[in-house]
Amino acid sequence: MAFQSIRGMRDLLPAEAKRLRAVEERVRAVLDVFGYEEIRLPLLESTDVFSRGVGESTDIVEKEMYTLEDRDGGSIALRPEGTASCVRACLQHGLLYNQQQRLWYAGPMFRYERPQKGRYRQFDQIGVEAFGMPGPDVDAELLHLCHVAFEALGVGSSLRLEINTLGSARDRAAYKAALVAFLEPHRDALDEDSRRRLDRNPLRILDSKHPATKALLADAPMISAHLDNESRAHFEGLKSLLSELGIDFVVNPRLVRGLDYYTHTVFEWVTDALGAQGAVCAGGRYDGLIEMLGGKPTPGAGFAIGVDRLAMLVDAVDATVANAKLDGYCVVLEERFTASAMQLAAELRRAGRRVRVHMGGGKIKSQMKRADASGAQFALILGEDEVTSKQVTLKWLRADLPQETLPREQLVARLARAGS
Ligand code: ATP
Ligand code: MG
């Protein structure tokens, strides 16, 4: 029996890994120019960090978390998301004391879900968090950052920004009561998940994909009727900043985040191009979270990009984004020219060229076949004559140009002139 990877945990073969990296690098570049700083966080945390920081009554903690017993008996969990860890780290290192922070992290997250296209048990996120800033200005900055990154990746027009407000903690409590009062008489008509949520986490019901529940919700009360002036002003402030920045959005009054500590702004970037798994990025303001994890009340806002889904979208829109192809392939006619070939490759790599050196010997014909299959633009041939005369033979593999033999020190300039 051959070994197989665990269900929902994929191997990313080179073409896919390349795509993911291209996407990640572009987003990182945008984070950089916005002045956000990287923080690296452990993959494992005490289970409590997530049960407190994500919430006991969320899908993540209730059914999706990989928890295990540590060798000393403590309960630890593979991180299902990054926000709770990031807050834990900031509190542990005193980063939130009278300070503002703009942070990001990237890496794998783990959730025990039903694997399908765009939904895996190990997946990658880029998470961004901003602490210490209470106003709609930073909410707008976070969305601006997303907008710039998505435009840079060429997927801006394939994504729709949906926003909503959940108001202050008090607004939300009032709304929750109104929603429960509306749904309670229809309890029997709700799907099973929603019935359970009615008692534990009623706002999550708004998120239901169940047709009967959705039909019921059509007449449900709206959060907008329960907002105080301050909450309204926050939301209006965000909307006008977005408009002035030229960022299109739609207000979706049914958009909620399942977590209790969310306040005011919530948002999602969604696409119709990926089927059911349409949410590529999600986030919002979570002014209650830091306190929940033992800190002083501190404003916070952030989002997480699903990198796997974003890479799928990028590929669907423009398959050439991750086209980091090999430039050159060094053919080694005799074993004794190996060091020369490696040195030649090193010279080209210093000039930023991607070069692979042939290994394992063989006749020139079979080496040229390998060169062709590698996708390289040109082959470099080193034989007896070339090595003694400090020359190299350049053979174009994709263009109809004559083969030429030239001094080695002219090669870099020759390639630059060829514009390849
Ligand atoms: P969904 O409703 O799709 O389950 P979510 O609300 O659980 O998403 P978040 O916790 O907000 O997702 O995570 C942010 C982003 O991470 C999502 O918008 C999505 O792009 C991505 N994501 C979440 N879960 C997965 C997964 N299992 N596989 C791949 N990407 C995921
Ligand atoms: Mg989920």
Side-chain angles (χ1 to χ4, degrees), residues 97-153:
Y97 189 71
N98 280 338
Q99 295 172 65
Q100 297 184 339
Q101 297 289 347
R102 288 174 167 88
L103 301 171
W104 66 271
Y105 46 83
M109 305 294 162
F110 303 85
R111 295 182 194 177
Y112 190 81
E113 306 200 59
R114 195 167 69 78
Q116 50 201 293
K117 185 174 167 239
R119 189 176 293 285
Y120 315 104
R121 292 182 176 175
Q122 176 178 330
F123 60 97
D124 269 66
Q125 282 188 342
I126 297 176
V128 180
E129 321 288 354
F131 298 109
M133 293 160 268
D137 47 0
V138 75
D139 301 4
E141 178 177 272
L142 290 166
L143 289 166
H144 188 200
L145 199 161
C146 291
H147 179 76
V148 171
F150 297 150
E151 290 293 326
L153 284 162

Side-chain angles (χ1 to χ4, degrees), residues 374-418:
S374 76
Q377 298 300 308
F378 54 83
L380 298 168
I381 302 160
L382 281 180
E384 180 83 65
D385 294 346
E386 283 91 350
V387 172
T388 41
S389 62
K390 294 213 169 63
Q391 290 190 311
V392 57
T393 295
L394 170 65
K395 183 173 166 56
W396 296 97
L397 299 172
R398 323 275 151 203
D400 194 13
L401 292 167
Q403 175 172 319
E404 57 186 299
T405 299
L406 68 161
R408 261 170 80 154
E409 76 265 12
Q410 290 175 15
L411 182 60
V412 169
R414 173 74 190 87
L415 292 171
R417 227 174 29 249

Side-chain angles (χ1 to χ4, degrees), residues 140 161 163 236-249:
L161 171 60
I163 63 172
E236 291 309 316
L238 171 65
K239 288 192 286 187
S240 79
L241 281 169
L242 291 177
S243 302
E244 286 183 82
L245 290 166
I247 302 169
D248 294 334
F249 62 88

Side-chain angles (χ1 to χ4, degrees), residues 11-245:
D11 302 308
L12 298 179
L13 303 186
E16 217 173 342
K18 203 182 263 184
R19 197 150 69 221
L20 231 73
R21 192 171 110 183
V23 166
E24 240 179 49
E25 280 176 354
R26 297 224 184 156
V27 177
R28 282 176 192 225
V30 174
L31 285 159
D32 246 16
V33 296
F34 270 75
Y36 282 64
E37 293 180 300
E38 182 174 13
I39 182 167
R40 295 203 180 205
L41 303 161
L43 299 191
L44 286 162
E45 294 274 356
S46 308
T47 302
D48 293 343
V49 169
F50 302 114
S51 40
R52 284 273 214 101
V54 179
E56 295 278 6
S57 64
T58 56
D59 283 353
I60 291 181
V61 171
E62 274 185 343
K63 10 181 210 198
E64 296 173 359
M65 200 154 59
Y66 282 91
T67 45
L68 51 140
E69 192 184 310
D70 206 347
R71 289 182 177 273
D72 65 5
S75 178
I76 56 179
L78 273 169
R79 63 179 188 189
E81 57 104 57
T83 305
S85 310
C86 188
V87 170
R88 194 267 312 138
C90 286
L91 290 174
Q92 183 173 335
H93 302 285
L95 302 188
L96 301 183
Y97 189 71
N98 280 338
Q99 295 172 65
Q100 297 184 339
Q101 297 289 347
R102 288 174 167 88
L103 301 171
W104 66 271
Y105 46 83
M109 305 294 162
F110 303 85
R111 295 182 194 177
Y112 190 81
E113 306 200 59
R114 195 167 69 78
Q116 50 201 293
K117 185 174 167 239
R119 189 176 293 285
Y120 315 104
R121 292 182 176 175
Q122 176 178 330
F123 60 97
D124 269 66
Q125 282 188 342
I126 297 176
V128 180
E129 321 288 354
F131 298 109
M133 293 160 268
D137 47 0
V138 75
D139 301 4
E141 178 177 272
L142 290 166
L143 289 166
H144 188 200
L145 199 161
C146 291
H147 179 76
V148 171
F150 297 150
E151 290 293 326
L153 284 162
V155 294
S157 57
S158 312
L159 284 165
R160 174 173 78 251
L161 171 60
E162 297 190 355
I163 63 172
N164 191 22
T165 178
L166 301 177
S168 65
R170 214 178 43 220
D171 300 338
R172 214 187 36 232
Y175 176 56
K176 212 189 234 180
L179 186 65
V180 171
F182 170 83
L183 289 172
E184 191 60 57
H186 306 286
R187 181 179 276 271
D188 295 340
L190 293 172
D191 61 282
E192 199 190 312
D193 267 345
S194 297
R195 268 202 300 272
R196 201 163 35 84
R197 286 175 176 152
L198 191 54
D199 303 315
R200 300 198 58 181
N201 197 350
L203 287 193
R204 261 326 276 270
I205 298 174
L206 297 178
D207 222 7
S208 174
K209 313 251 168 358
H210 205 272
T213 302
K214 275 172 90 166
L216 250 182
L217 286 170
D219 300 321
M222 297 275 195
I223 180 81
S224 51
H226 297 266
L227 298 176
D228 64 21
N229 287 339
E230 209 183 313
S231 299
R232 256 181 249 281
H234 189 109
F235 198 44
E236 291 309 316
L238 171 65
K239 288 192 286 187
S240 79
L241 281 169
L242 291 177
S243 302
E244 286 183 82
L245 290 166

